Structures are given as C-alpha cells and as structure tokens.
Amino acid sequence: MTIVVRRMRWWDIDAAMELERQLFTEDAWSAELFWSELAQHKVTHYVVATREATLVGYAGLAAYDGEAYIQTMAVAETEQRQGLGRRLLRELLVEARQRGAERAGLEVRADNSPAQALYRQFGFAPVGLRRGYYQPSGADAIVMIVEDIISSAFADLLAVSMSPRAAAR
C-alpha cells in the first residue's frame, strides 16, 4: 500500500474534484480550473498521490520568470500528518528549482495552522495578509514566501526534508 506520486493527467481531474469538494467545501476549485491549469503545462506542474487506485493528494505549481507559485495542495484527511503534504511540497519545490525559480510563494488560509507549520519547515515566511481572499467563504489568506530556493543550502533542506527523522516532525 505504497503511495505513488506522479504527474497529474486529465483523467485524474474527477478524483481530484472529489477530494477538493471533501476538503474545501466552500472554496473548492472547479473542474474547468484544473483543466486550464493542466493545459498550461509549459508553466505549470501538477502532481497526484495515489494509494493503490485511490487519489489521496494533489499539488500544483506555476513557475516562470525566476519565480514559482504554489497554486494548490490537498491531502485526504486519512493521509494527513503522515508526511504526504511534505512529500508533495518537496516535489513542487524540486520542480521549481529545475525551472530556474529563485523564490517561491503561496497563499494559505489564516485558520490553517498545520499547513502554515509545514510551509515554515521549508523556509516560507509570512509577508502579508489578504483579507477576504477565499471566496465565497471570505476567509483571510496569509501570503508566504521563501527566497533563494536555487541555493545549495535550500537543496540541502530539500534532501533532509524526506528523511524519516524529518517526516516525524
């Protein structure tokens, strides 16, 4: 029952939508948005995590002009706090580095402290607040950024992030 992380394909969208609706009831993405993101494959990179035939997570990145942006990330409730979010985020940041990004940013719900803690483990720091960002719920978003992801020090952080000791944090 190993989890496999692979590139997202169009046939994964229905399962991603099911997980999206379970986790983000009010602020869920649409299938059309996933289709649009996958169509922009020259600037985006989306991955899914599956356990056997079941999609248990996904994550997406846009990268261009030396910057990367974490577009979305979701982990099934049954898989949360077991290292899958860390694995997905690491996958995106490795891809961002391969695409020449020097920094990465994201928005995270202000009330999602577990996600914020995960992002801090990768060096993300809060730089701003977007009031009422998530619609239609009106929840605030914290903007977080990590600089110099192209550095060897950040490469070392990525290497350490998948160690069993890091997964236990």
Side-chain angles (χ1 to χ4, degrees):
M1 300 222 306
T2 302
I3 291 180
V4 174
V5 175
R6 62 170 172 75
R7 190 167 192 126
M8 182 185 264
R9 301 290 185 214
W10 64 267
W11 53 82
D12 296 312
I13 292 176
D14 287 343
M17 285 301 306
E18 187 175 320
L19 184 56
E20 182 80 6
R21 285 188 292 270
Q22 289 171 11
L23 296 173
F24 310 113
T25 52
E26 292 183 349
D27 304 322
W29 278 24
S30 67
E32 292 79 14
L33 187 50
F34 277 106
W35 277 99
S36 174
E37 290 293 300
L38 291 182
Q40 298 176 60
H41 59 87
K42 290 185 180 179
V43 295
T44 63
H45 178 74
Y46 278 72
V47 294
V48 295
T50 59
R51 183 181 295 280
E52 298 185 8
T54 303
L55 188 139
V56 294
Y58 60 83
L61 165 85
Y64 47 89
D65 294 336
E67 298 196 7
Y69 200 80
I70 309 300
Q71 302 282 77
T72 188
M73 203 162 99
V75 174
E77 288 180 358
T78 58
E79 302 293 335
Q80 290 178 3
R81 293 174 182 70
Q82 297 181 44
L84 181 55
R86 177 180 294 104
R87 186 172 171 189
L88 291 170
L89 182 57
R90 181 185 181 281
E91 167 74 24
L92 295 182
L93 292 169
V94 166
E95 181 69 20
R97 285 171 45 87
Q98 290 173 351
R99 292 178 180 224
E102 297 177 13
R103 72 191 56 76
L106 56 82
E107 283 113 3
V108 58
R109 285 181 66 109
D111 60 359
N112 191 345
S113 53
Q116 292 170 42
L118 170 64
Y119 301 140
R120 282 190 188 97
Q121 290 176 14
F122 283 85
F124 284 87
V127 296
L129 180 70
R130 293 195 173 139
R131 296 204 182 278
Y133 179 78
Y134 292 99
Q135 294 301 318
S137 71
D140 294 343
I142 296 174
V143 179
M144 300 181 83
I145 293 177
V146 60
E147 298 283 349
D148 204 20
I149 67 170
I150 204 75
S151 71
S152 59
F154 195 80
D156 292 345
L157 174 70
L158 291 175
V160 169
S161 71
M162 286 314 294
S163 71
R165 186 174 177 167
R169 289 185 194 163

